[in-house]
Structures are given as C-alpha cells and as structure tokens.
Amino acid sequence: MNELLGKSIRIATFFLSACLLVWAFVPEWRIYSAGAMLGVAASVVNAIMLRRRVDLLGTVYRDNPNPPRRVSLGLASRLATVLLASMLAYRKPEFFHLPSVLFACFFMPIVNLVLAYASSKRDT
C-alpha cells in the first residue's frame, strides 16, 4: 500500500506542476488551474490521512488482544478537509473555480484505482 501511495503522490505532484505551469502561462485559465490545485492538494491530504488511519487500525487489532469495538477510518476528518477546500473556493470565487475544486478532490481515489488495477493486471 505504501508503494501505491508513493506512486499516486508522485503522479499528483506532476499534475500539480502542470497546473502551476498553466496557472503561470495561461491567464484566462488561472481560476480553473488554482481550483484544480486546491482540490488535488485536499485529495493528497485525504489519502495520507486514510493511510495513517488504516495503519493505526492494523496496529490496534494486531497488537491488542481485546481490541475496542468501534474504530473508525476517520471519515469525518476527510470530509472536513474537502469541506474546507470547497468553502475556500466558495468564499473566494475570484481565485478558485468551485467545480474544479470538487472534481479534483476525487483525483487520488481515481489514480489509486487505476494504479491498483494496472498492478493487478501486471501480477497475473
């Protein structure tokens, strides 16, 4: 899982670099590019939080003979990250395009899905 997340973050970094170039050299697409960058940044933060939470969950159930009955994957904190990004775009429409932010928030799950599918096809 760590190598999959590393590849995904590398792809997100390249995408953020491309968005930064678009933001710098194409002035009429600035708000779209900035919105995509904000959404991808929120998506990367969510992916890192999910990985840390899954690691914590694994250690709790592996090391504890009597694990707690309820341990969550941190859905509320990941939703709050997306809410923070979308509220920033909503409050500052002159800097961020709200639909771009919302679409880009799904960047990491889609990249992870494609990479996992490619990895499973390569292994079989």
Side-chain angles (χ1 to χ4, degrees):
M1 182 171 167
N2 287 335
E3 68 181 38
L4 182 68
L5 184 66
K7 288 178 185 178
S8 300
I9 289 176
R10 193 174 315 121
I11 290 171
T13 304
F14 287 138
F15 184 76
L16 286 171
S17 300
C19 285
L20 188 62
L21 287 174
V22 168
W23 182 85
F25 294 118
V26 186
E28 56 270 2
W29 283 20
R30 271 201 177 152
I31 63 168
Y32 306 111
S33 179
M37 286 191 288
L38 180 63
V40 169
S43 184
V44 167
V45 168
N46 279 343
I48 291 171
M49 285 193 317
L50 180 62
R51 185 197 58 139
R52 290 184 64 207
R53 195 66 181 182
V54 167
D55 287 344
L56 176 73
L57 192 77
T59 57
V60 162
Y61 278 103
R62 185 185 60 225
D63 297 339
N64 194 354
N66 297 322
R69 293 189 67 205
R70 295 184 62 197
V71 177
S72 71
L73 288 176
L75 178 68
S77 61
R78 291 183 286 127
L79 286 176
T81 304
V82 173
L83 180 65
L84 178 68
S86 60
M87 287 304 295
L88 184 63
Y90 181 74
R91 297 283 176 138
K92 301 289 184 181
E94 63 273 8
F95 298 119
F96 303 106
H97 187 238
L98 181 61
S100 297
V101 172
L102 294 176
F103 286 138
C105 283
F106 294 103
F107 182 81
M108 288 298 280
I110 292 171
V111 168
N112 282 333
L113 183 68
V114 169
L115 287 176
Y117 181 74
S119 175
S120 71
K121 282 295 186 183
R122 186 183 62 222
D123 292 341
T124 59

